[in-house]
Amino acid sequence: MAPPQKHLLAIEGMYPPQIAAYLDLAESFVLLNRTGKTPRDRLRGRTLINMFFEDSTRTRVSFELAGKRLGADVINMSVATSSVNKGETLLDTAATLNAMNCDLLVIRHASSGAPALLAQKVEAAVINAGDGTHEHPTQALLDALTIRRRLGGLQGLTVAICGDVLHSRVARSNIFLLSAMGSRVRVVGPPTLIPPAAERLGVEVFHDMAAGLDGVDVVMMLRLQQERMTRGLVPSAREYFRFYGLDEAKLAHAAPHALVMHPGPMNRGVEIASTVADDPLRSVIREQVEMGVAVRMAVLDLLSTSGANQ
Ligand code: NCD
């Protein structure tokens, strides 16, 4: 048996049964969410603090909703008005939060490794909600849940992760999770946006969308992360869309049943055409958002009941 986790910092290094435990519990929350019958006493008396040092819509709101649906007291620390702007270091902030006895700390930060650093300094269970270009574990879990529900499992699938893989923590977490669960992963993008030695992560690399999407079960598009680019890696948005933007013609190379995914926020007309993103028969982008709440409920629940934080 894999040991229960105290924190959720990364997918890398997790065992398949640990991943499956999150997915199975999340599955049970999907129906409860749909019927409005969530167990609001599960986290009663527990405190969850959301600390987002980078922009977020879906992730922050879904952690907040997840905590509330399980009955936790949820506090959203507003970084824009916190002492962080007075020069307080992350560790001083952590010490302050620690003194307040919070149980669960959700953190998004521009520096890779910030959640791991925090986890060494606080009593609370720390959940990585995205750190730099490193990992975004709950996104990979919600993607996996979406795929599993639609295609019946993860074993033996071929998944193409396309676009700005270089800057994507979503891609990294998905590569680790999908590989661990028995899927084959391809990364598809221009050479400037694929990490050097990507093959060492156990993926196949393609620079051509037609070849990369050929016969795949899932097409996962990534946002072009201009804010992380220190130099021009893409000639122009228009040029990028022509070669790497997902439109109906490129999608036709994938298997007929292939799912279209995107973690959001989307740059429509840059990495994905609206006709594909909004196609109810192919796109599961909205479902990903729904699964996000269920997965985060499962994560909060498992980390606060694993015994490690009692
Ligand atoms: C992703 C992120 O922040 O890493 N978004 C998300 O959490 N839904 C992807 C992105 O910003 O492109």
Side-chain angles (χ1 to χ4, degrees), residues 230-282:
T230 47
R231 60 200 165 95
L233 296 174
V234 189
S236 71
R238 205 169 168 198
E239 189 81 352
Y240 184 80
F241 182 74
R242 192 167 145 226
F243 289 101
Y244 293 101
L246 187 68
D247 55 13
E248 277 152 29
K250 295 191 193 81
L251 182 58
H253 296 281
H257 61 260
L259 307 177
V260 172
M261 306 180 75
H262 192 303
M266 284 186 274
N267 292 309
R268 291 169 179 266
V270 179
E271 69 262 355
I272 191 163
S274 282
T275 46
V276 174
D278 301 331
D279 179 349
L281 298 176
R282 310 302 298 269

Side-chain angles (χ1 to χ4, degrees), residues 58-59 108 136 139 169-170 223 225 227-228 263-265:
R58 290 144 267 268
T59 308
R108 167 170 289 192
H136 190 352
Q139 179 71 43
R169 52 198 179 202
V170 173
R223 183 173 64 88
Q225 300 190 39
E227 77 279 14
R228 297 194 204 279

Side-chain angles (χ1 to χ4, degrees), residues 6-7 94-95 97-98 105 117-126:
K6 158 133 185 153
H7 307 287
L97 297 175
N98 211 19
L105 202 51
L117 183 68
L118 206 60
Q120 291 169 16
K121 304 287 175 190
V122 295
E123 301 298 320
V126 175

Side-chain angles (χ1 to χ4, degrees), residues 302-310:
L302 278 177
L303 291 184
S304 59
T305 52
S306 68
N309 314 301
Q310 312 281 320

